[in-house]
Amino acid sequence: MAALPKAAGDGGAPAAPLVRLVVVAYNSGGDLRRCLDCLLAQSVTALEIVVIDNASTDGAVEALEIADARVTLVRLPANLGFAAANNRAVEDARTPFVALVNPDAFAEPDWLARMLAGAERHPWADMFASVQLKADDPSRLDGLGDCYFAGGVAWRGGFGQPFEPPAADRRVFAPCGAAALFRTTRFRAAGGFDERYFCLLEDVDLAFRLRLLGGDCVLVADALVRHTGSATIGENSDFSLYHLARNQSWVFLKNMPLPLLVPLLPVHLALVALQLASSLRRRRCRPVARGLRDSARGLAALWRTRRAVQAGRQVGLGTLARSFTWSPRRLLRRDACLRGLPGRGGRE
């Protein structure tokens, strides 16, 4: 891979944008202004920012008044969801990279420079995750990328655990969509986000499909953001419980190759049953049950998509299996699940 283009020197023409930064807003309040201030303060200036608003009603977008020519505002007529809005913002991107940043994610000034440096160090990787710290307590982790248990459950690695800076870049299953970098061509090759998901786990689904195409993900150890998390949808709200229950099974059933799907399906069904029992015990059963019901109702259409996804698989089962987490203990503890980097040329 050729070196990344550099910004023009004194007297030169402005450098072409390296990255399109996409911020999907929906009733994001004051977080949106803070997020954009952080992005406009990045040490990398060869960028463009698209704020795509999902028909917000809180007035936060109208209050922005940003004169910077690098920022474009797109107002959607209805709330299409996180997945569809990001697809709309990426579809005409001409930059080599696209970065997704949630409005409640606040990037350090060198975050983008470090992410791009990570992409240059690891030309074999398609997607790059950030080190996310809790916005209200940066001594604790918001996550080190997303992990995926082989039985079909995803989680943000190390969530809530004390922050200890990673010593070096490591591989992780998927980047959390709150602050992620993708090679634009690879994002498109995988078809972007599946818009049926609306929001939640669409980033894990995309990463799974990229892995089926032979892709990989790197956690960039020195790229830091502070993240509030669930600022719009609410943590453990009925909305989030519904979408997590529905989308969790879709990710597993659509993407898991058949030789792994058959032996792992009983494990997945047992985990679903435990999830439902836990929600019943906490008196939060209704949104979870609705999510599982709608997951089942969507299986016919999902299975048609699955055939196309599996037909395009370019990775061996062993390589794919090594990207999963197999330890139930790690799942229960929500540990970070980081792996070493491959050998020269991106080979394991």
Side-chain angles (χ1 to χ4, degrees), residues 21-39 49-54 56 58 60-61 64 81-82 85-86 99-107 111 132 135 176-180 199 225-233:
L21 293 149
V22 178
V23 181
V24 175
Y26 177 70
N27 291 343
S28 305
D31 285 344
L32 180 59
R33 174 82 248 187
R34 181 181 173 188
C35 171
L36 287 175
D37 285 345
C38 290
L39 297 181
I49 301 171
V50 175
V51 179
I52 186 158
D53 180 58
N54 259 325
S56 295
D58 65 347
V61 171
L64 287 177
F82 180 84
N86 272 294
L100 314 181
V101 183
N102 277 8
D104 61 350
F106 314 120
W111 168 76
Q132 296 176 195
C176 171
C199 70
V225 299
R226 302 188 183 198
H227 184 221
T228 300
S230 302
T232 298
I233 63 176

Side-chain angles (χ1 to χ4, degrees), residues 176-201:
C176 171
L181 182 74
F182 294 86
R183 299 190 193 277
T184 306
T185 55
R186 302 301 291 161
F187 183 96
R188 290 185 176 132
F193 289 124
D194 187 331
E195 298 182 8
R196 289 172 293 194
Y197 287 61
F198 194 79
C199 70
L200 297 177
L201 297 181

Side-chain angles (χ1 to χ4, degrees), residues 20-257:
R20 171 171 289 190
L21 293 149
V22 178
V23 181
V24 175
Y26 177 70
N27 291 343
S28 305
D31 285 344
L32 180 59
R33 174 82 248 187
R34 181 181 173 188
C35 171
L36 287 175
D37 285 345
C38 290
L39 297 181
L40 290 169
Q42 292 296 302
S43 57
V44 173
T45 59
L47 55 83
E48 58 190 32
I49 301 171
V50 175
V51 179
I52 186 158
D53 180 58
N54 259 325
S56 295
T57 58
D58 65 347
V61 171
E62 291 83 354
L64 287 177
E65 296 182 357
I66 292 178
D68 196 306
R70 295 175 297 171
V71 180
T72 300
L73 174 62
V74 178
R75 304 292 300 271
L76 297 176
N79 183 1
L80 303 183
F82 180 84
N86 272 294
N87 285 347
R88 300 296 183 278
V90 172
E91 61 188 4
D92 66 341
R94 297 182 179 179
T95 54
F97 296 94
V98 292
L100 314 181
V101 183
N102 277 8
D104 61 350
F106 314 120
E108 294 295 302
D110 60 357
W111 168 76
L112 186 55
R114 294 182 182 278
M115 291 288 272
L116 290 171
E120 189 168 10
R121 285 194 300 274
H122 311 297
W124 43 267
D126 298 332
M127 40 191 168
F128 302 88
S130 308
V131 174
Q132 296 176 195
L133 310 178
K134 284 183 168 291
D136 59 352
D137 182 6
S139 69
R140 292 196 170 272
L141 283 169
D142 181 73
L144 296 174
D146 286 341
C147 308
Y148 194 75
F149 181 63
V153 177
W155 71 95
R156 206 177 303 154
F159 179 81
Q161 296 177 7
F163 170 50
E164 295 182 6
D169 297 347
R170 303 291 297 276
R171 283 190 294 172
V172 66
F173 183 81
C176 171
L181 182 74
F182 294 86
R183 299 190 193 277
T184 306
T185 55
R186 302 301 291 161
F187 183 96
R188 290 185 176 132
F193 289 124
D194 187 331
E195 298 182 8
R196 289 172 293 194
Y197 287 61
F198 194 79
C199 70
L200 297 177
L201 297 181
E202 73 292 309
D203 47 0
V204 176
D205 176 79
L206 173 60
F208 205 142
R209 284 182 282 120
L210 276 166
R211 286 191 168 280
L212 291 171
L213 294 175
D216 212 333
C217 179
V218 169
L219 171 77
V220 182
D222 54 2
L224 304 180
V225 299
R226 302 188 183 198
H227 184 221
T228 300
S230 302
T232 298
I233 63 176
E235 188 174 359
N236 290 321
S237 65
D238 285 0
F239 180 92
S240 62
L241 291 173
Y242 166 83
H243 284 87
L244 285 170
R246 186 192 66 178
N247 296 350
Q248 174 181 271
S249 289
W250 282 356
V251 172
F252 177 76
L253 294 172
K254 183 175 76 175
N255 297 303
M256 190 66 72

